[in-house]
């Protein structure tokens, strides 16, 4: 869960949508996105990331490392160039699988508020990082922006 933000049951459920979509994409397209002249019959025995489980795990850990290719390359024994080539097509297929499950990220607050209001659980967890706001360097600017009181936002 620390690496993908998914429980094992959630991972398995997502894999059921991801696997057939990836196999269909791989059958007719190369990693560069070009159409194959002859459809592929299956994955090669010496595949870089063997199996759809490994591909999905690779892909779900990619955003958790802030899309840095060096940690991904080191973790999976790949070159950073190969990580970049694999991430593009895999992310497209993952977005299709998430869309099929109606799990794509919401880009506007209004639909999110509607979905949360209708959700049976009214307590939600948020996986985020608190980061400080840099203070203004000149004294007059600090006085204008900072009251020295800790305020909680409603």
């Amino acid at each position: 869960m620390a690496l993908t933000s998914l429980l094992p049951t959630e991972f398995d459920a997502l894999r059921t949508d991801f696997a057939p979509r990836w196999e269909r994409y791989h059958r007719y397209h190369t990693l560069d996105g070009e159409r194959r002249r002859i459809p592929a019959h299956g994955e090669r025995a010496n595949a870089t990331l063997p199996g759809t489980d490994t591909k999905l795990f690779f892909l779900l850990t990619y955003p958790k490392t802030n899309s840095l290719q060096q940690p991904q390359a080191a973790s999976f024994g790949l070159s950073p160039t190969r990580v970049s080539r694999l991430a593009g097509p895999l992310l497209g297929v993952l977005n299709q699988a998430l869309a099929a499950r109606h799990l794509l990220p919401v880009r506007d607050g209004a639909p999110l508020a509607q979905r949360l209001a209708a959700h049976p659980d009214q307590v939600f967890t948020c996986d985020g990082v608190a980061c400080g706001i840099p203070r203004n360097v000149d004294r007059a600017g600090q006085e204008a922006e900072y009251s020295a009181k800790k305020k909680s936002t409603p």
Side-chain angles (χ1 to χ4, degrees):
M1 185 167 174
L3 295 174
T4 64
S5 297
L6 295 177
L7 297 170
T9 55
E10 294 169 330
F11 181 88
D12 291 339
L14 183 58
R15 185 185 54 201
T16 61
D17 285 338
F18 177 80
R21 283 178 171 78
W22 171 252
E23 289 164 6
R24 188 174 334 121
Y25 177 88
H26 183 262
R27 181 173 172 83
Y28 296 106
H29 296 88
T30 66
L31 287 180
D32 296 324
E34 297 175 13
R35 290 275 298 172
R36 293 182 189 271
R37 288 183 298 204
I38 300 171
H41 292 290
E43 188 174 77
R44 293 181 180 167
N46 63 347
T48 305
L49 296 172
T52 53
D53 294 356
T54 307
K55 288 175 184 62
L56 184 58
F57 182 72
F58 165 83
L59 188 57
L60 292 175
T61 58
Y62 188 68
K64 293 284 282 189
T65 57
N66 296 322
S67 300
L68 295 175
Q69 294 173 357
Q70 287 79 8
Q72 280 298 97
S75 297
F76 288 89
L78 306 171
S79 69
T81 305
R82 190 72 171 158
V83 169
S84 179
R85 286 188 64 209
L86 284 168
L90 287 171
L91 282 171
V93 174
L94 177 63
N95 282 334
Q96 292 173 6
L98 291 173
R101 293 185 158 269
H102 305 289
L103 294 174
L104 283 176
V106 177
R107 302 291 183 206
D108 184 16
L112 176 62
Q114 291 173 351
R115 290 187 79 178
L116 293 178
H119 198 276
D121 296 331
Q122 292 300 310
V123 178
F124 304 99
T125 58
C126 178
D127 184 10
V129 177
C131 57
I133 299 172
R135 292 180 62 179
N136 202 333
V137 290
D138 73 315
R139 182 86 171 147
Q142 284 182 11
E143 289 176 4
E145 295 173 359
Y146 186 68
S147 69
K149 293 182 181 179
K150 291 189 177 185
K151 300 177 184 174
S152 62
T153 56

